[in-house]
Short mmCIF file of all heavy atoms in Angstrom, two decimals:
data_model
loop_
_atom_site.label_atom_id
_atom_site.label_comp_id
_atom_site.label_asym_id
_atom_site.label_seq_id
_atom_site.Cartn_x
_atom_site.Cartn_y
_atom_site.Cartn_z
N MET C 2 -47.94 88.05 -95.64
CA MET C 2 -47.73 86.79 -96.23
C MET C 2 -48.92 86.54 -96.98
O MET C 2 -50.13 86.64 -96.57
CB MET C 2 -47.54 85.75 -95.20
CG MET C 2 -47.59 84.31 -95.70
SD MET C 2 -46.91 83.14 -94.48
CE MET C 2 -45.21 83.29 -94.83
N ALA C 3 -48.77 85.98 -98.27
CA ALA C 3 -49.95 85.67 -99.20
C ALA C 3 -50.77 84.63 -98.51
O ALA C 3 -50.41 83.60 -98.06
CB ALA C 3 -49.21 85.09 -100.48
N GLY C 4 -52.05 84.93 -98.69
CA GLY C 4 -53.15 84.04 -98.11
C GLY C 4 -53.17 83.97 -96.60
O GLY C 4 -54.01 83.19 -96.09
N GLY C 5 -52.32 84.69 -95.90
CA GLY C 5 -52.37 84.68 -94.47
C GLY C 5 -52.07 83.31 -93.90
O GLY C 5 -52.65 83.01 -92.83
N LYS C 6 -51.21 82.57 -94.51
CA LYS C 6 -50.98 81.30 -94.09
C LYS C 6 -49.44 80.96 -93.73
O LYS C 6 -48.61 81.32 -94.65
CB LYS C 6 -51.39 80.31 -95.13
CG LYS C 6 -51.23 78.87 -94.71
CD LYS C 6 -51.93 77.99 -95.83
CE LYS C 6 -50.99 77.39 -96.73
NZ LYS C 6 -51.55 76.45 -97.58
N SER C 7 -49.19 80.68 -92.48
CA SER C 7 -47.81 80.41 -92.07
C SER C 7 -47.46 79.01 -92.58
O SER C 7 -48.29 78.11 -92.50
CB SER C 7 -47.71 80.50 -90.50
OG SER C 7 -46.40 80.16 -90.06
N GLU C 8 -46.20 78.80 -92.98
CA GLU C 8 -45.78 77.51 -93.44
C GLU C 8 -45.38 76.48 -92.33
O GLU C 8 -45.26 75.34 -92.68
CB GLU C 8 -44.57 77.78 -94.43
CG GLU C 8 -44.94 78.55 -95.64
CD GLU C 8 -45.98 77.96 -96.47
OE1 GLU C 8 -46.05 76.78 -96.71
OE2 GLU C 8 -46.81 78.67 -96.91
N THR C 9 -45.11 77.03 -91.22
CA THR C 9 -44.67 76.03 -90.13
C THR C 9 -45.58 76.28 -88.92
O THR C 9 -46.05 77.38 -88.58
CB THR C 9 -43.24 76.22 -89.82
OG1 THR C 9 -43.12 77.57 -89.38
CG2 THR C 9 -42.33 75.91 -90.98
N PRO C 10 -45.75 75.28 -88.08
CA PRO C 10 -46.36 75.43 -86.77
C PRO C 10 -45.62 76.52 -85.93
O PRO C 10 -44.49 76.66 -86.03
CB PRO C 10 -46.46 73.98 -86.14
CG PRO C 10 -45.81 73.17 -87.14
CD PRO C 10 -45.20 73.92 -88.31
N VAL C 11 -46.45 77.08 -85.09
CA VAL C 11 -45.82 78.13 -84.21
C VAL C 11 -46.04 77.79 -82.74
O VAL C 11 -47.04 77.15 -82.42
CB VAL C 11 -46.61 79.48 -84.52
CG1 VAL C 11 -46.23 80.55 -83.52
CG2 VAL C 11 -46.37 79.82 -85.98
N SER C 12 -45.15 78.13 -81.90
CA SER C 12 -45.19 77.86 -80.50
C SER C 12 -46.13 78.92 -79.80
O SER C 12 -45.71 80.09 -79.86
CB SER C 12 -43.81 77.76 -79.82
OG SER C 12 -43.90 77.57 -78.49
N LEU C 13 -47.16 78.61 -79.27
CA LEU C 13 -48.06 79.51 -78.61
C LEU C 13 -48.31 79.05 -77.19
O LEU C 13 -48.34 77.86 -76.90
CB LEU C 13 -49.48 79.51 -79.37
CG LEU C 13 -49.42 79.96 -80.77
CD1 LEU C 13 -50.73 79.55 -81.55
CD2 LEU C 13 -49.15 81.42 -80.88
N SER C 14 -48.54 80.07 -76.30
CA SER C 14 -48.84 79.70 -74.88
C SER C 14 -50.23 79.21 -74.77
O SER C 14 -51.09 79.30 -75.69
CB SER C 14 -48.61 80.94 -74.06
OG SER C 14 -49.69 81.88 -74.33
N ASP C 15 -50.51 78.59 -73.64
CA ASP C 15 -51.83 78.09 -73.30
C ASP C 15 -52.81 79.28 -73.38
O ASP C 15 -53.98 79.14 -73.94
CB ASP C 15 -51.80 77.42 -71.97
CG ASP C 15 -51.17 76.14 -71.88
OD1 ASP C 15 -50.92 75.49 -72.99
OD2 ASP C 15 -50.87 75.59 -70.83
N ARG C 16 -52.48 80.49 -72.87
CA ARG C 16 -53.38 81.61 -72.86
C ARG C 16 -53.63 82.03 -74.32
O ARG C 16 -54.84 82.29 -74.73
CB ARG C 16 -52.76 82.73 -72.16
CG ARG C 16 -53.63 83.96 -72.08
CD ARG C 16 -54.97 83.92 -71.54
NE ARG C 16 -54.96 84.18 -70.13
CZ ARG C 16 -55.90 84.07 -69.25
NH1 ARG C 16 -57.00 83.43 -69.58
NH2 ARG C 16 -55.80 84.40 -68.01
N GLU C 17 -52.65 82.07 -75.12
CA GLU C 17 -52.77 82.42 -76.53
C GLU C 17 -53.75 81.41 -77.30
O GLU C 17 -54.59 81.85 -78.08
CB GLU C 17 -51.40 82.56 -77.28
CG GLU C 17 -50.58 83.67 -76.83
CD GLU C 17 -49.19 83.68 -77.34
OE1 GLU C 17 -48.62 82.54 -77.48
OE2 GLU C 17 -48.67 84.75 -77.46
N LEU C 18 -53.58 80.21 -77.02
CA LEU C 18 -54.44 79.17 -77.55
C LEU C 18 -55.87 79.34 -77.10
O LEU C 18 -56.79 79.19 -77.87
CB LEU C 18 -53.91 77.75 -77.26
CG LEU C 18 -52.59 77.30 -78.00
CD1 LEU C 18 -52.08 76.05 -77.40
CD2 LEU C 18 -52.75 77.24 -79.44
N GLN C 19 -56.03 79.63 -75.86
CA GLN C 19 -57.34 79.95 -75.31
C GLN C 19 -57.98 81.08 -76.05
O GLN C 19 -59.17 80.97 -76.42
CB GLN C 19 -57.22 80.21 -73.79
CG GLN C 19 -58.45 80.30 -73.02
CD GLN C 19 -58.18 80.50 -71.53
OE1 GLN C 19 -57.15 81.10 -71.14
NE2 GLN C 19 -59.05 79.95 -70.75
N ILE C 20 -57.29 82.13 -76.25
CA ILE C 20 -57.75 83.27 -76.94
C ILE C 20 -58.07 82.99 -78.44
O ILE C 20 -59.22 83.44 -78.90
CB ILE C 20 -56.79 84.49 -76.85
CG1 ILE C 20 -56.78 85.01 -75.34
CG2 ILE C 20 -57.17 85.60 -77.81
CD1 ILE C 20 -55.82 86.06 -75.00
#
Side-chain angles (χ1 to χ4, degrees):
M2 171 166 275
K6 182 170 101 173
S7 178
E8 297 300 321
T9 58
V11 174
S12 177
L13 299 167
S14 70
D15 289 341
R16 177 62 95 187
E17 289 169 332
L18 292 171
Q19 189 177 31
I20 288 175

